[in-house]
Amino acid sequence: MTADDHIVFIVDDDERIREALGELLASHGMHAVAFESACDYVKADKPDRPACLILDIELPDINGLELQRQIADGDHPPIVFITGHGDIPSSVRAIKRGAVDFLTKPFSDDDLMAAIQAAIAQDRAKKAGRAELDMLRRHYLDLTPREREVLPLVVSGLLNKQAAAELGISEVTLQIHRRNVMQKMAAASLADLVRIAEKLEIPITHSRRVGGN
C-alpha cells in the first residue's frame, strides 16, 4: 500500500488526537487528512480512491453516529469509530450500520491499524466491483436491440433452436447473434455470461424446455 493509492480521513475535535493519528499513519506510509468537525468533513472535496473514515463519536456539531446515519445512502468510505465515551448500545448500533470497528480510547496502535487496513481493503473491493459493473453496463449498451433480446434467452438455458423459435428467426441467425453477444460482453463462456447477466440484473423470463421445438 502506497501513500497515493488510498486516503484516511480523520474527524476528531481534539487537535492532539488528530496530530497523533496523523503521525501514526505517516509512520506506516499512509496518507491522512484531518478535520475537527463533521461539517468540515462533509464539505471537503474527496479524491476517488480507496479510503477509510476514522470518526469520533463526540463532535462539536453532530454526533458521530448521527453522521453515519446521514451519509449511509451516499458514497462514503467504511467507518472506524474511536471514542472515549463508548458504550455497548452505541457500538452495536455502529456495527449494525456497517462500521468496520468501534474502538474505545485508549486503544492500541495495532488494533487501529488493523481496522484501518480492513476498511481500506473493503472500500477497494467495493470500488473495483463498481468499476466492473460500469464496464459491463457499457458493454451492454453496445449490444443491438436484437442482441439484447438474445442475451436473456441464451443465459436462461434455452437451446439455440428454442431461442430462435422464440424470436422467429433462423437458428443460424441466432448463433450469429449469440456469438456477437459473447464477444461484446467479453464473456469467456456461457457460465461467464450468466454471471454477467446476474450482475446486470437482466430478467430471465424463460426456462429451458427439454425436448422443445
Side-chain angles (χ1 to χ4, degrees):
M1 185 180 296
T2 60
D4 60 353
D5 75 345
H6 71 276
I7 189 166
V8 179
F9 300 109
I10 302 168
V11 182
D12 195 304
D13 62 337
D14 189 326
E15 184 177 3
R16 294 168 302 175
I17 296 294
R18 295 197 304 271
E19 290 179 352
L21 292 176
E23 291 173 0
L24 173 64
L25 291 165
S27 72
H28 285 79
M30 304 182 79
H31 178 57
V33 177
F35 306 92
E36 64 178 343
S37 71
C39 182
D40 289 343
Y41 166 74
V42 171
K43 292 189 302 183
D45 291 330
K46 302 172 186 66
D48 184 20
R49 67 181 75 164
C52 166
L53 171 57
I54 301 177
L55 182 59
D56 192 10
I57 292 291
E58 300 298 330
L59 295 170
D61 52 351
I62 186 174
N63 181 277
L65 291 169
E66 176 61 19
L67 176 62
Q68 180 191 31
R69 186 191 68 79
Q70 290 184 8
I71 64 178
D73 294 332
D75 182 20
H76 71 89
I79 296 173
V80 174
F81 278 104
I82 58 174
T83 180
H85 310 281
D87 57 70
I88 293 176
S90 294
S91 63
V92 170
R93 188 157 62 250
I95 298 300
K96 281 187 174 180
R97 289 177 178 168
V100 172
D101 212 336
F102 190 99
L103 303 176
T104 302
K105 302 171 185 175
F107 43 77
S108 73
D109 291 351
D110 288 345
D111 286 345
L112 177 61
M113 292 307 302
I116 291 171
Q117 290 167 352
I120 291 175
Q122 183 183 114
D123 200 39
R124 193 184 304 279
K126 181 181 73 173
K127 290 182 181 300
R130 189 167 58 216
E132 180 190 15
L133 185 57
D134 288 344
M135 178 187 68
L136 294 177
R137 285 170 175 162
R138 291 195 298 271
H139 288 171
Y140 183 73
L141 290 176
D142 287 339
L143 299 180
T144 65
R146 176 62 86 185
E147 288 164 356
R148 291 179 196 171
E149 293 179 324
V150 167
L151 194 159
L153 298 179
V154 169
V155 298
S156 70
L158 294 183
L159 300 175
N160 285 339
K161 63 180 181 180
Q162 294 173 326
E166 188 75 30
L167 296 175
I169 60 178
S170 71
E171 188 172 346
V172 171
T173 300
L174 187 285
Q175 290 173 337
I176 293 172
H177 288 313
R178 176 174 177 154
R179 183 172 61 250
N180 290 341
V181 168
M182 296 288 289
Q183 291 176 346
K184 290 182 180 180
M185 299 305 298
S189 64
L190 177 57
D192 196 23
L193 189 64
V194 170
R195 179 189 65 83
I196 290 171
E198 290 175 347
K199 283 183 174 291
L200 292 175
E201 298 182 347
I202 294 174
I204 308 300
T205 58
H206 296 75
S207 61
R208 182 167 179 167
R209 301 185 298 274
V210 178
N213 294 321

